[in-house]
Amino acid sequence: MSPGHSAAARDAARSTTAPATPSTPAAARPRMAGSWHRALAGLVLGGAVGRVAWALWQARDYVPVWDARIYADCIVRAAVAPLAPGALRCAEHPTHAYVAVLAAFQRLAPGSMPLLLLANGLLLLLGALAFMRLLRRVFPDPALAPERALLTAALLIDPVVVAGAVHVNPDFGILVFLLVATAAATERRWGIAAVFGLMAAFSKETGPVLYAALVASFATALVVGLPVARDTRNGLLAGPVAFLLIAALLPWGPWSVPVALLGAGVLLRAAMGARWAPLATAARLRRAMPLGTAVLPLVVFTAYMAWRATLPRTSLLWAASDPGEMLQALVTPHLRPPTVTYFGFLLLVNFHWIPGAAILADLLVGIRGFATGRPSRTVPGADPRMLLACTLFGAAAIFLITRIPTAPIARYMQPVFPVLLLLALAALLRLRVPTAARRATLAALVVLLGASLTRTLDPVSRAVWGTHSVGSREMLWTNRLVHRFHYGLDEGLYNLEFLRIAQLSQRALDRLHPVRDRVLVTGSFANWWIVGALDERSQRRFGASPLSAPTLAHAEDVIAGGVRPDSAWYLAYPYIDNLPLLQRLDSTYVIGPPVRVEVDGYVMSLRRLTRRDAR
């Protein structure tokens, strides 16, 4: 070989084996893509944070109504009273952790709505940061940074979540604390998971139920081998299905849950077949040993419940619930009207049908593959074990949170929203949706959620629930399937339009100033802490100065003759049907012309009532 030829060969070899320098396009492209991803993520998240901050600032004059009035008053009392666990329990719920956080802020200025909003705003920011860490752990691929940012923005700007931050309620606390616990679990920081799991448990009864599902899901994901074999998948599916079917078919009694567990265990063993190897199972169980710390919140909450059971004349759970009935509802499948409504809040309301459609499409493809014996589909860019844990938790959480058939209120579903968004991204990746289409879908979701913060825009929601007019505006009739509940019990809490109802109520009271010298009448279904006590100086309904309650009568009592004021003012709240009540009042009272109060196109009216025999 000649020297020239040898030099050429060495140059050729060097060009094919030497690493690319930063000046080459191959090296610059990933760096440019990474910078673009970070810039896009920062822009998206900054916009979402700014929009939420503006929404909270606009609500600074909000006077809490409905359930929020109960919780807000309780938080103020806890702030001014000596620190004691009993002061932190509100509305017969174990709200100690959530109320303690907000009461700490209220100590600076009791009765300050801006401080309540500041506390919830910081909690929401904490939840968003935890969600970012959770997504980074489940989808660690740097190329998925834009998707992670869009999902975080979607959670931040979700109308139900933002409404929960404004309308003080412990379900919002569960959302944040459970989210931090989930993120810590994906990073195997079991001590942090235990602390925030304990806070979720002591925010409301839903907290310990969902946290138990979280711990069980992560324990299962750490124990099973990966990739998940077909017979293992059979067992993971057959066990829960057997439990639910046995619990549903057996007559309910103390034996129902133990028998259902036994049957589920037998079917699980049969379904797994040869995969059931005691020694291998014992070895795998060692992986889950660190979760012992994470179980402590459940032990503490169980001890707390056992202690409450020893107290005389004390409700074990929420005063309006029976523990046995709640347990039966939790473990048996049913599709009662409130349950159907809950699924709607999870998968339809406010454009939730976009992630819901992705999850449903992925589920149908998965069922077809499972039935035909195809291997499990992979999720590009995901950590398989952490995604398995979150998938199991999502399935369990969706089932559990839709079991208790109470009022059709969207805020009850808040704690499951993060895992739904996570599962939606997994579905899009598993379905191999192209990158551009995937990002366009998530970006459209963020834009539509932001637009729905203050308006009922979603055509699917309007078609499913129907709407009712509030002046020139329309709001969802979310109790359409549950006729025994009416608006006035947080049913309007699906976006920030409920603020207009509170503003209309305050505008009406301002029109009647001074209210304490007048008798007010409204329908009984409208009067759930919509008026309440008034500040004696400002006539506002929330504050630290002395409060006095106006004379407020239910129209039904006036019609029946239990209350017969010579004159009164009828408050025609727009979320109930006032016409039948006014028609029945007409036989006893002369009803004056409507006096309209309006806020940005939302309208309610007042009617002067004068007793006919008193004229």
Side-chain angles (χ1 to χ4, degrees), residues 33 39 59 70 116 193 245 292 420 510:
I70 299 173
L116 287 178
L245 287 177
L420 274 178
D510 292 341

Side-chain angles (χ1 to χ4, degrees), residues 33-118:
S35 299
W36 180 82
H37 289 166
R38 287 191 294 272
L40 176 62
L43 180 64
V44 169
L45 292 174
V49 170
R51 180 67 182 92
V52 172
W54 177 244
L56 295 179
W57 173 253
Q58 287 184 307
R60 65 192 182 278
D61 293 327
Y62 167 55
V63 177
V65 296
W66 304 332
D67 283 3
R69 181 57 188 264
I70 299 173
Y71 292 118
D73 286 348
C74 181
I75 290 165
V76 172
R77 289 195 300 269
V80 299
L83 185 61
L88 302 176
R89 183 179 170 89
C90 299
E92 291 301 315
H93 293 300
T95 56
H96 305 75
Y98 177 67
V99 170
V101 173
L102 269 66
F105 283 80
Q106 281 294 297
R107 287 184 179 274
L108 300 175
S112 169
M113 189 63 204
L115 284 178
L116 287 178
L117 294 174
L118 175 62

Side-chain angles (χ1 to χ4, degrees), residues 338-357:
T339 299
V340 176
T341 302
Y342 293 156
F343 277 110
F345 290 147
L346 287 172
L347 302 174
L348 290 178
V349 76
N350 293 330
F351 297 99
H352 277 208
W353 51 265
I354 295 177

Side-chain angles (χ1 to χ4, degrees), residues 45 120-139 148 151-158 161 170-190 192-201 203 206-208 210-212 214-215 218 386 390 393-394 397 401 413-423:
L45 292 174
N120 270 348
L122 293 176
L123 284 176
L124 181 56
L125 182 59
L126 173 64
L129 294 174
F131 192 45
M132 290 176 63
R133 294 183 71 102
L134 170 62
L135 293 174
R136 193 179 301 119
R137 184 65 182 87
V138 178
F139 304 104
R148 295 196 297 263
L151 282 184
T152 305
L155 178 65
L156 269 172
I157 210 167
D158 189 287
V161 173
D171 299 284
F172 181 78
I174 298 175
L175 162 71
V176 174
F177 301 143
L178 191 66
L179 190 48
V180 177
T182 307
T186 61
E187 298 177 359
R188 307 196 185 194
R189 299 172 181 261
W190 305 116
I192 296 176
V195 170
F196 282 91
L198 186 66
M199 296 180 75
S203 289
T206 317
L210 294 179
Y211 182 70
L214 176 70
V215 173
F218 272 82
M386 292 300 104
C390 291
F393 172 57
I401 205 167
M413 304 296 107
Q414 286 180 94
V416 183
F417 286 178
V419 73
L420 274 178
L421 292 173
L422 185 152
L423 294 179

Side-chain angles (χ1 to χ4, degrees), residues 228-237 268 270-276:
V228 180
R230 180 174 176 80
D231 48 8
T232 302
R233 283 189 291 156
N234 290 345
L236 291 176
L237 178 63
L268 174 66
M272 293 188 68
R275 292 279 173 177
W276 185 277

Side-chain angles (χ1 to χ4, degrees), residues 146-448:
E147 284 86 345
R148 295 196 297 263
L150 287 167
L151 282 184
T152 305
L155 178 65
L156 269 172
I157 210 167
D158 189 287
V160 177
V161 173
V162 179
V166 173
H167 189 82
V168 183
N169 68 93
D171 299 284
F172 181 78
I174 298 175
L175 162 71
V176 174
F177 301 143
L178 191 66
L179 190 48
V180 177
T182 307
T186 61
E187 298 177 359
R188 307 196 185 194
R189 299 172 181 261
W190 305 116
I192 296 176
V195 170
F196 282 91
L198 186 66
M199 296 180 75
F202 281 93
S203 289
K204 198 180 176 185
E205 293 87 350
T206 317
V209 174
L210 294 179
Y211 182 70
L214 176 70
V215 173
S217 299
F218 272 82
T220 303
L222 291 175
V223 167
V224 301
L226 292 178
V228 180
R230 180 174 176 80
D231 48 8
T232 302
R233 283 189 291 156
N234 290 345
L236 291 176
L237 178 63
V241 170
F243 176 87
L244 295 175
L245 287 177
I246 295 171
L249 296 175
L250 277 179
W252 184 256
W255 59 83
S256 300
V257 172
V259 172
L261 286 173
L262 178 62
V266 171
L267 193 57
L268 174 66
R269 170 69 179 85
M272 293 188 68
R275 292 279 173 177
W276 185 277
L279 292 178
T281 302
R284 289 174 180 172
L285 283 174
R286 297 192 188 97
R287 301 177 190 167
M289 290 298 290
L291 268 77
T293 303
V295 176
L296 289 177
L298 301 175
V299 175
V300 173
F301 188 80
T302 302
Y304 168 76
M305 297 299 289
W307 170 74
R308 282 194 63 82
T310 65
L311 301 179
R313 297 183 300 277
T314 300
S315 59
L316 191 60
L317 295 173
W318 176 43
S321 62
D322 176 79
E325 292 179 359
M326 288 188 69
L327 178 61
Q328 183 181 6
L330 277 176
V331 301
T332 55
H334 58 78
L335 283 176
R336 301 173 191 173
T339 299
V340 176
T341 302
Y342 293 156
F343 277 110
F345 290 147
L346 287 172
L347 302 174
L348 290 178
V349 76
N350 293 330
F351 297 99
H352 277 208
W353 51 265
I354 295 177
I359 294 171
L360 179 60
D362 183 49
L363 180 62
L364 293 176
V365 173
I367 292 173
R368 179 186 176 189
F370 183 83
T372 56
R374 296 178 183 178
S376 300
R377 295 168 296 147
T378 60
V379 179
D383 181 312
R385 195 172 296 279
M386 292 300 104
L387 180 57
L388 174 61
C390 291
T391 302
L392 293 174
F393 172 57
I398 291 170
F399 177 82
L400 292 170
I401 205 167
T402 56
R403 293 303 89 199
I404 307 299
T406 56
I409 296 175
R411 66 174 169 87
Y412 293 165
M413 304 296 107
Q414 286 180 94
V416 183
F417 286 178
V419 73
L420 274 178
L421 292 173
L422 185 152
L423 294 179
L425 176 56
L428 293 172
L429 292 169
R430 195 181 284 113
L431 292 169
R432 301 300 193 268
V433 175
T435 300
R438 185 173 65 240
R439 292 174 180 172
T441 299
L442 296 179
L445 175 63
V446 172
V447 172
L448 292 171

Side-chain angles (χ1 to χ4, degrees), residues 335-565:
L335 283 176
R336 301 173 191 173
T339 299
V340 176
T341 302
Y342 293 156
F343 277 110
F345 290 147
L346 287 172
L347 302 174
L348 290 178
V349 76
N350 293 330
F351 297 99
H352 277 208
W353 51 265
I354 295 177
I359 294 171
L360 179 60
D362 183 49
L363 180 62
L364 293 176
V365 173
I367 292 173
R368 179 186 176 189
F370 183 83
T372 56
R374 296 178 183 178
S376 300
R377 295 168 296 147
T378 60
V379 179
D383 181 312
R385 195 172 296 279
M386 292 300 104
L387 180 57
L388 174 61
C390 291
T391 302
L392 293 174
F393 172 57
I398 291 170
F399 177 82
L400 292 170
I401 205 167
T402 56
R403 293 303 89 199
I404 307 299
T406 56
I409 296 175
R411 66 174 169 87
Y412 293 165
M413 304 296 107
Q414 286 180 94
V416 183
F417 286 178
V419 73
L420 274 178
L421 292 173
L422 185 152
L423 294 179
L425 176 56
L428 293 172
L429 292 169
R430 195 181 284 113
L431 292 169
R432 301 300 193 268
V433 175
T435 300
R438 185 173 65 240
R439 292 174 180 172
T441 299
L442 296 179
L445 175 63
V446 172
V447 172
L448 292 171
L449 288 175
S452 299
L453 268 177
T454 56
R455 289 289 186 272
T456 303
L457 301 177
D458 178 21
V460 175
S461 299
R462 295 167 72 96
V464 169
W465 280 284
T467 61
H468 65 99
S469 297
V470 186
S472 61
R473 310 294 186 184
E474 291 187 338
M475 296 178 64
L476 291 183
W477 198 254
T478 56
N479 65 342
R480 183 175 182 177
L481 297 177
V482 190
H483 300 295
R484 63 193 180 93
F485 288 101
H486 296 254
Y487 264 76
L489 191 64
D490 286 22
E491 288 92 338
L493 200 70
Y494 63 89
N495 67 3
L496 291 178
E497 282 186 284
F498 77 93
L499 289 174
R500 302 307 189 191
I501 301 295
Q503 291 167 350
L504 287 172
S505 188
Q506 186 62 57
R507 191 72 59 87
L509 296 177
D510 292 341
R511 178 69 67 91
L512 299 178
H513 182 80
V515 181
R516 64 175 178 271
D517 297 331
R518 304 178 186 274
V519 178
L520 308 180
V521 176
T522 191
S524 60
F525 289 120
N527 180 33
W528 181 253
W529 297 96
I530 191 67
V531 176
L534 300 172
D535 187 297
E536 294 179 351
R537 292 194 296 268
S538 67
Q539 298 299 306
R540 303 288 290 177
R541 292 168 291 145
F542 184 63
S545 57
L547 299 177
S548 60
T551 301
L552 180 63
H554 291 160
E556 294 85 350
D557 294 336
V558 175
I559 293 167
V563 181
R564 282 291 173 86

